[in-house]
Amino acid sequence: MVGLLLLIALGAYGAACLALYWMQASFIYYPPATPMFPAPRTATLAVPGAEVKVSERPRPGNRAVMYFGGNAEDVTMSLPLLDEAFPRHALYLLHYRGYLGSTGKPSEKANVADALALFDRIVAEHGEVTLIGRSLGSGIAVQVASRRPVKKLILVTPYDSLQEIAAAHFPYFPVRWLLRDKYESWRYAPRVTAPTLLLAAEHDEIIPASSTRQLLARFPRGVATMTVIGGAGHNTISEMPAYISALKD
């Protein structure tokens, strides 16, 4: 009887692990259902296996900002704020695959590849490109900055490793074996040479403060600094006046 119960328990656990493996993308990516803000202009970037949408605020000149949003974000919602912080920069906001106008399915490999393709297109027109990655997007931005000559890097509510955060949320499952999209920013931070700013929320309920501090320590000496936005939560950081000031600075 005990053996039978043990087999049932092991079977149920195995089924739960299998379900977690196949459903993991739905835990990471939450494409918004409808647009929240109109973009001044949109473009389509053709990439292998998909066409991704890019919301743009054009500006002539040598300076541009590329923005990678959070896992449930309509990136066009950040246009007014970025317009205020970077009035003389052209703005380019990437919609991940499967997000509001982009075809295909999102994944770490696809998102990074699309970001690199967009960077290569932008840098040909604007020589100085600043990258901003928020939450999930911080893991994309740091990978691009480790492979391309970016002017500046800004990481908003960033993490050291998405895999480690997922492991903490699911402590009874072998997440490190099951997870496909690990977003291990710690692997890429040591290769970044651009001046880097980490913006942390004082009361971040999603990303542990320890994870952000660990990421800060991964960068080469003198490359990265961190600012904590007082009173902010993970999803409210951009509503704080200090956030706008930090971006402008």
Side-chain angles (χ1 to χ4, degrees):
M1 184 65 177
V2 174
L4 178 60
L5 291 176
L6 181 60
L7 286 174
I8 293 173
L10 289 174
Y13 180 76
C17 288
L18 190 61
L20 184 61
Y21 177 81
W22 288 112
M23 296 176 61
Q24 60 184 274
S26 64
F27 291 106
I28 300 175
Y29 306 106
Y30 298 89
T34 57
M36 302 297 291
F37 189 86
R41 189 174 78 179
T42 60
T44 300
L45 180 68
V47 292
E51 292 186 346
V52 294
K53 177 182 174 183
V54 182
S55 291
E56 302 179 353
R57 198 287 311 277
R59 282 287 187 278
N62 200 42
R63 294 182 290 181
V65 169
M66 283 180 62
Y67 179 81
F68 311 109
N71 69 334
E73 183 179 351
D74 173 10
V75 291
T76 55
M77 286 290 290
S78 293
L79 269 171
L81 184 149
L82 294 174
D83 183 41
E84 179 181 351
F86 301 95
R88 295 181 178 87
H89 289 64
L91 304 178
Y92 299 89
L93 294 79
L94 179 68
H95 296 252
Y96 306 136
R97 298 188 186 200
Y99 281 61
L100 293 177
S102 294
T103 63
K105 294 182 179 180
S107 69
E108 180 179 5
K109 182 178 179 180
N111 289 343
V112 173
D114 296 346
L116 288 168
L118 180 59
F119 178 91
D120 291 342
R121 194 195 82 181
I122 292 171
V123 79
E125 182 178 351
H126 310 279
E128 297 181 357
V129 181
T130 294
L131 301 185
I132 302 177
R134 179 171 180 173
S135 192
L136 177 71
S138 69
I140 299 168
V142 73
Q143 292 192 46
V144 175
S146 73
R147 303 180 192 181
R148 295 293 190 271
V150 307
K151 181 68 175 179
K152 296 178 183 178
L153 175 63
I154 301 173
L155 305 176
V156 182
T157 59
Y159 47 82
D160 191 49
S161 166
L162 187 65
Q163 174 182 259
E164 296 307 314
I165 293 174
H169 280 286
F170 299 94
Y172 301 111
F173 293 94
V175 170
R176 293 175 181 83
W177 294 351
L178 297 173
L179 197 64
R180 293 189 297 268
D181 293 355
K182 302 178 185 297
Y183 288 100
E184 294 176 312
S185 294
W186 63 269
R187 290 186 180 275
Y188 305 96
R191 308 176 201 168
V192 175
T193 58
T196 299
L197 172 64
L198 281 66
L199 294 178
E202 182 183 14
H203 305 300
D204 197 319
E205 66 281 14
I206 305 297
I207 307 298
S210 59
S211 182
T212 303
R213 288 195 299 267
Q214 286 171 2
L215 177 62
L216 176 66
R218 309 288 191 182
F219 288 90
R221 183 186 296 267
V223 166
T225 59
M226 184 171 76
T227 296
V228 178
I229 305 301
H234 186 81
N235 294 316
T236 62
I237 186 171
S238 57
E239 301 171 11
M240 302 297 172
Y243 178 76
I244 301 288
S245 299
L247 290 182
K248 289 180 178 179
D249 291 342

